[in-house]
């Protein structure tokens, strides 16, 4: 029995639903009973409850898995949509706060000594705004009416090989710990994640050059680590969910760019992931977020069905 068959026979309902819908291409209409079981899972219910009060947590640490945007994208990636009331409510709350350029806001507090106001205010950083646009896109919000303007505006910050650390005017002179002219690897990653989901941008020069910029960081991982983003030992550990800057997250995004799949540097990253597969075809987390211990990917002792799903999704596209 291969790994996916094992998960389908033994995994939790929400993951079975994701695999059948996203990997095996089964229709949503034929999965209604499984979908209902998945939505009844206590962990899924908890995530749904958390995203309804969308702006309840200050966005001060973008790798915090407790942030509503990460939970919302997790639910959307599984295959849930705005037919679920809590997801519809979260989408509506995101859309309540937007600037004149079409970019949606997060609630953040940037201390005065970092160039901010020291108060809780709405604004955006390029290390979170693309995820809000991506969530709206995945939720089926009208692209031309509510998403395109913001995407086009953010694309304007592209500087040739990626995206710099950029914030809205509400956040003053705040900037991350790096050289002003450097691209921010994480901002570049999530912008590429957004662009790869949009047909008009997926194969654009902006997307290609951003992908090449990330591959260049891999090829020069010993020498280059802008904004203190390293591709060293910790980066190379398997970790889920794919919310930050690590080998699973980066390779997952890059795998969506068809021209990248033949690049030797991408092949190296995919091969490193594949080398960590056990004899049963499963993957075990090598690092975890402490706040998600209740999930199968919140431990390092046993194979994780969900991490295996993420890795299979990558490797399926690499041939």
């Amino acid at each position: 029995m291969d790994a996916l068959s094992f998960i389908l026979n033994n995994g939790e309902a929400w993951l079975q639903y994701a695999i059948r819908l996203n990997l095996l291409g089964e229709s949503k209409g034929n999965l209604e009973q499984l979908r209902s079981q998945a939505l009844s899972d206590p962990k899924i219910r908890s995530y749904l409850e958390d995203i309804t009060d969308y702006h309840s947590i200050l966005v001060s640490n973008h790798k915090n898995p407790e942030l509503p945007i990460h939970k919302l994208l997790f639910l959307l990636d599984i295959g849930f949509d705005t037919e679920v009331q809590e997801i519809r409510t979260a989408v509506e709350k995101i859309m309540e706060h937007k600037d004149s350029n079409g970019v949606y806001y997060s609630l953040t507090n940037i201390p005065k000594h970092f160039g901010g106001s020291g108060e809780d205010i709405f604004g955006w950083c390029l290390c979170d705004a693309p995820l809000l646009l991506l969530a709206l896109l995945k939720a089926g919000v009208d692209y031309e009416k509510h998403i395109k303007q913001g995407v086009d505006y953010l694309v304007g910050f592209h500087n040739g090989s990626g995206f710099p650390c950029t914030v809205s005017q509400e956040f003053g002179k705040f900037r991350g710990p790096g050289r002003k002219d450097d691209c921010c690897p994480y901002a570049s990653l999530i912008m590429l994640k957004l662009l790869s989901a949009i047909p008009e941008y997926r194969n654009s020069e902006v997307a290609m050059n951003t992908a090449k910029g990330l591959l260049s960081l891999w090829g020069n991982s010993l020498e280059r680590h802008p904004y203190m983003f390293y591709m060293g030992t910790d980066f190379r550990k398997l970790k889920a969910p794919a919310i930050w800057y690590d080998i699973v997250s980066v390779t997952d995004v890059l795998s969506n760019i068809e021209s990248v799949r033949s690049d030797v540097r991408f092949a190296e990253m995919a091969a490193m992931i594949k080398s960590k597969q056990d004899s049963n075809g499963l993957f075990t987390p090598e690092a975890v977020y402490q706040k998600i211990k209740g999930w199968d990917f919140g431990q390092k002792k046993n194979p994780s069905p969900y991490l295996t799903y993420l890795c299979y999704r990558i490797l399926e596209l690499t041939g």
Side-chain angles (χ1 to χ4, degrees), residues 130-181:
L131 296 179
L132 275 66
L133 289 162
L134 178 63
L136 298 184
L137 186 71
K138 286 180 173 292
V141 172
D142 188 286
Y143 175 74
E144 293 290 337
K145 188 179 296 186
H146 299 291
I147 300 172
K148 179 175 170 56
Q149 181 192 9
V151 173
D152 291 346
Y153 180 74
L154 294 184
V155 165
F157 291 104
H158 187 260
N159 67 4
S161 60
F163 292 84
C165 181
T166 307
V167 300
S168 63
Q169 61 182 3
E170 290 84 359
F171 294 154
K173 298 180 179 180
F174 172 76
R175 188 168 59 81
R179 295 187 305 178
K180 187 175 182 180
D181 295 334

Side-chain angles (χ1 to χ4, degrees), residues 114-226:
F114 284 139
S117 66
E119 299 177 352
D120 296 355
I121 57 174
F122 282 99
W124 60 262
C125 299
L126 203 53
C127 46
D128 61 36
L131 296 179
L132 275 66
L133 289 162
L134 178 63
L136 298 184
L137 186 71
K138 286 180 173 292
V141 172
D142 188 286
Y143 175 74
E144 293 290 337
K145 188 179 296 186
H146 299 291
I147 300 172
K148 179 175 170 56
Q149 181 192 9
V151 173
D152 291 346
Y153 180 74
L154 294 184
V155 165
F157 291 104
H158 187 260
N159 67 4
S161 60
F163 292 84
C165 181
T166 307
V167 300
S168 63
Q169 61 182 3
E170 290 84 359
F171 294 154
K173 298 180 179 180
F174 172 76
R175 188 168 59 81
R179 295 187 305 178
K180 187 175 182 180
D181 295 334
D182 278 343
C183 294
C184 171
Y186 183 65
S188 297
L189 177 66
I190 61 173
M191 274 300 298
L192 184 60
K193 188 171 188 176
L194 170 63
L195 298 180
S196 69
I198 302 172
E200 69 173 304
Y201 275 115
R202 183 176 300 126
N203 297 311
S204 66
E205 186 175 352
V206 171
M208 299 301 154
N209 289 339
T210 302
K212 290 177 182 177
L214 291 167
L215 290 169
S216 176
L217 291 176
W218 172 264
N220 297 279
S221 61
L222 294 178
E223 297 84 24
R224 295 183 58 202
H225 33 82

Side-chain angles (χ1 to χ4, degrees), residues 84-128:
V84 180
Q85 176 60 53
E86 291 89 346
I87 291 178
R88 185 162 63 251
T89 297
V91 167
E92 290 170 352
K93 287 185 178 295
I94 289 174
M95 296 180 71
E96 289 174 358
H97 302 277
K98 180 175 70 170
D99 72 6
S100 60
N101 298 304
V103 183
Y104 294 89
Y105 286 148
S106 296
L107 185 62
T108 308
N109 187 320
I110 297 179
K112 291 182 177 180
H113 60 274
F114 284 139
S117 66
E119 299 177 352
D120 296 355
I121 57 174
F122 282 99
W124 60 262
C125 299
L126 203 53
C127 46
D128 61 36

